[in-house]
Amino acid sequence: MTKSKAKPRILIIYTGGTIGMIEDPVSKVLKPFDFSHLIDNVPKIKKLDFEIGNIQFNPPIDSSNMNPSHWSMIAREVEANYDNYDGFVVLHGTDTMAYTASALSFMLENLDKPVIITGSQLPIGEVRTDGEENLLTALQIAAARNSRGDAMINEVAILFENHLLRGNRSSKVSADNFNAFTSNNYPELASIGLDITYHEKVLYQSDHNRPLIVHDTMDTNVMFIVLHPGLTKEMLEYQLNTPSVKGIVLKTYGAGNSPSDEWFTKPISEAIERGIVILNVTQCGNGSVNSNLYDTGNTLAKAGVISGHDITSEAAITKMMYLFGKGMTTNQVKKYLQRDICGEMTVNN
Ligand code: ASP
């Protein structure tokens, strides 16, 4: 298909989410509905001269019900259809879209084709829906080629309203704005206005000679611990002693800071000594952990807590699931958490 003048072939994987929901006539709440309803509401799709295939989750789901087994299903569909399509559009609820995008970026090693995830804030059947435009733009991006005739996008990305964002750099930031996603620590991949303007210097460059490798085992023995003033020693210890937990993303203050008192640092050090991997990720939506800036951040580094630099929470937790899922030892997981694997973190490897 590559470089030929054949029609672009795009596979839509419909998982659910608001974009395809309709109102239940009795309860009036929104519920996922099937793919034909969705496509019937976008007649303009025929104006794109594409060959479009589709696969749908049966039943489609609200993305709050997504779990790693669903990510594996998406990854396996991409793999099974990889040679038959030029690009993939995943229709997904917005609530956990950034987690799915982050997870897929790790699961689809050597991805060399676009996987564009989109959804909407209003169902596709609503008059003012954002779903139609998001779907059509996602399809155009999945089919886009650069001047060499190669796929413009070779990575997992989120398309939402005016922005195309790297999937593992994205977070949902609004429950009601059409521009619901941001990527605070990495530039947008394309700006959507009258034209779709690609920012080619920041696009992921994949190695075209390497085959796609799908990793579909995610280890869910990982969790967040969120710091807040008033957190007690008991609460902290209870969480650190969660049975079977192997990795913790510690959501710290500012540049990676935490209380420096012994009630906090001792249980953290003891957990690390027991073999638990702890990753320091800032609660701020923007900026980076810098363990050398304050004594309070340095204490964590001295205890063996790893810096997550500018990684998002969504990418941090899914990266841990991926690394443990590969069967890595504690030391290997620590090593790879400090490296950028697929554009998720700003660090010199
Ligand atoms: N609850 C919905 C979901 O995530 C919200 C949405 O799609 O915007 O599936």
Side-chain angles (χ1 to χ4, degrees), residues 16-19 21 61-64 92-96 120-121 172:
T18 296
I19 191 164
M21 290 188 184
I61 59 171
D62 187 299
S63 78
S64 301
H92 194 289
T94 57
D95 290 345
T96 63
S120 68
Q121 294 281 50
K172 182 174 178 182

Side-chain angles (χ1 to χ4, degrees), residues 61-98:
I61 59 171
D62 187 299
S63 78
S64 301
N65 287 321
M66 276 275 164
N67 63 50
S69 70
H70 297 110
W71 301 338
S72 300
M73 282 161 64
I74 301 169
R76 285 291 170 209
E77 289 298 355
V78 170
E79 182 182 44
N81 293 283
Y82 200 64
D83 294 335
N84 294 330
Y85 288 93
D86 299 309
F88 301 84
V89 169
V90 180
L91 298 178
H92 194 289
T94 57
D95 290 345
T96 63
M97 189 182 283

